[in-house]
Amino acid sequence: MRILVTGGAGFIGSHLCRRLLADGHEVLSADNYFTGSRKNIHDLLANPNFEALRHDITFPLHVEVDQIYNFACPASPVHYQYDPVQTTKTSVHGAINMLGLAKRTGARILQASTSEVYGDPEIHPQTEDYWGRVNPIGPRSCYDEGKRCAETLFFDYYRQHKLDIKVVRIFNTYGPGMQLHDGRVISNFIVQALHGEDITLYGDGSQTRSFCYVSDLVDGVVRMMQSGPGFTGPVNLGNPSEYTIAQLAETIIRLCGSRSKLAFKPLPEDDPRQRQPDIGLARKNLEWWPSIPLEDGLRETIAYFRRLLDTPPNTAKGANR
């Protein structure tokens, strides 16, 4: 099939492009390179089945495709709060444009939504039938509410125009290909540990997250796209193993062989206290669950960042010798 991946030069998008090419498809990546990078897809550019297009999905796109994976949107607080109006436009106008494209071409379309639609949840773990607890006017709202509105649009197109839709809610994902300074907790901690700097924790470190390795996540996304037409989602995709932020920091310090210490700062506004997916729906309908343990995934991710920083094992500033 000919498949469009918006945000195809981003962290998850580039991994998804590789998977789809390996599965024998023709892949068109559309990315405005605000947070994505051509470096992420450099190894794909010579592939005759791959095409890279610089495009902002807040403007219509006229191509012929069989499937659309809509992944275009900044996903870390540092990036989505940099230009919050544009973040909302990307989620809302972008969804409208991609849904319009799917309607015209008859393509199946998948929306990469987020666990942030649950906000600071009152139930734990989070199930797909939970409506969430989101501040509509806070500093994170551009992302949280933008993604919630995108889900609304997808289901309205499904009901009104009988569009073939799929919606996944992605929980924290990590792995090789993350940016050095993207503001996500795992990349922040690894870079600080490799430099021997203090590890910055917000709050007391007791807030929890669940971390899914990128290859596991991509497999779940592809399974969702391939699932039967009667299953629209939304479906949670993430690793149900839950860790406190302090546990994560200590694990990264140990795996990096670093002497970094923990440094605590005030908790940002609207930062969720707990985040853990209930993946029962994905297990039942997609026969999907993560297979990569956290420490195994962290070792691969640390090795990737060492290559970026040109920092050999156990010789980083402040590392154990």
Side-chain angles (χ1 to χ4, degrees):
M1 287 186 287
R2 183 163 171 78
I3 300 176
L4 169 64
V5 179
T6 71
F11 164 47
I12 297 176
S14 59
H15 283 273
L16 176 59
C17 287
R18 286 187 190 87
R19 166 64 186 270
L20 295 173
L21 288 168
D23 288 347
H25 301 294
E26 294 182 21
V27 177
L28 171 62
S29 164
D31 203 301
N32 68 352
Y33 302 113
F34 173 59
T35 57
S37 170
R38 285 179 65 86
K39 292 180 181 178
N40 288 340
I41 54 173
H42 184 266
D43 59 311
L44 306 180
L45 296 176
N47 190 320
N49 290 325
F50 181 76
E51 182 179 355
L53 174 67
R54 182 185 291 270
H55 183 78
D56 185 331
I57 66 164
T58 61
F59 298 94
L61 179 61
H62 302 286
V63 293
E64 303 300 321
V65 292
D66 303 302
Q67 292 182 345
I68 302 166
Y69 289 83
N70 188 32
F71 273 76
C73 189
S76 72
V78 168
H79 290 139
Y80 67 64
Q81 292 177 5
Y82 174 77
D83 189 344
V85 172
Q86 183 64 24
T87 296
T88 303
K89 285 182 177 179
T90 301
S91 288
V92 178
H93 292 184
I96 291 170
N97 287 330
M98 292 304 103
L99 287 163
L101 175 61
K103 181 184 174 185
R104 182 181 66 80
T105 60
R108 173 174 284 188
I109 182 168
L110 180 145
Q111 168 67 5
S113 190
T114 172
S115 61
E116 298 298 332
V117 300
Y118 299 123
D120 191 5
E122 301 152 302
I123 68 166
H124 192 74
Q126 291 79 58
T127 54
E128 291 87 350
D129 58 359
Y130 175 55
W131 290 356
R133 179 171 174 261
V134 176
N135 178 1
I137 59 170
R140 301 169 66 102
S141 305
C142 57
Y143 185 69
D144 302 0
E145 294 286 37
K147 288 288 191 178
R148 285 164 67 95
C149 185
E151 287 195 16
T152 300
L153 287 162
F154 266 68
F155 278 91
D156 282 339
Y157 267 77
Y158 168 71
R159 287 183 287 260
Q160 185 172 340
H161 300 296
K162 311 304 178 187
L163 218 60
D164 189 2
I165 70 163
K166 304 285 180 181
V167 177
V168 296
R169 290 174 176 167
I170 297 173
F171 284 67
N172 293 61
T173 306
Y174 71 101
M178 301 179 79
Q179 293 187 24
L180 279 170
H181 306 293
D182 70 356
R184 302 185 196 197
V185 63
I186 284 184
S187 54
N188 282 355
F189 286 3
I190 290 175
V191 170
Q192 289 175 327
L194 290 176
H195 283 152
E197 300 169 352
D198 288 346
I199 305 294
T200 306
L201 279 74
Y202 295 95
D204 61 5
S206 65
Q207 63 269 42
T208 66
R209 296 293 184 270
S210 304
F211 301 99
C212 187
Y213 193 66
V214 65
S215 61
D216 280 335
L217 187 279
V218 166
D219 183 59
V221 168
V222 171
R223 284 173 182 255
M224 182 59 174
M225 181 64 97
Q226 295 173 344
S227 64
F231 183 54
T232 60
V235 60
N236 291 336
L237 293 180
N239 195 319
S241 299
E242 185 182 18
Y243 298 87
T244 69
I245 297 301
Q247 287 175 322
L248 174 69
E250 290 163 357
T251 301
I252 287 174
I253 289 170
R254 173 169 54 82
L255 294 178
C256 288
S258 175
R259 292 178 179 169
S260 297
K261 305 298 182 184
L262 303 185
F264 296 89
K265 294 188 175 182
L267 193 68
E269 184 179 352
D270 297 332
D271 192 63
R273 296 294 307 175
Q274 291 181 307
R275 188 56 58 74
Q276 181 189 22
D278 182 312
I279 62 168
L281 201 59
R283 284 180 175 271
K284 177 182 177 182
N285 289 273
L286 307 178
E287 296 185 351
W288 176 87
W289 51 87
S291 63
I292 308 297
L294 179 63
E295 288 205 14
D296 290 353
L298 286 176
R299 288 189 181 93
E300 293 295 323
T301 309
I302 290 167
Y304 159 76
F305 277 110
R306 283 196 193 280
R307 292 192 296 272
L308 281 187
L309 296 168
D310 194 24
T311 308
N314 297 323
T315 59
K317 182 179 72 173
N320 294 322
R321 294 181 173 83

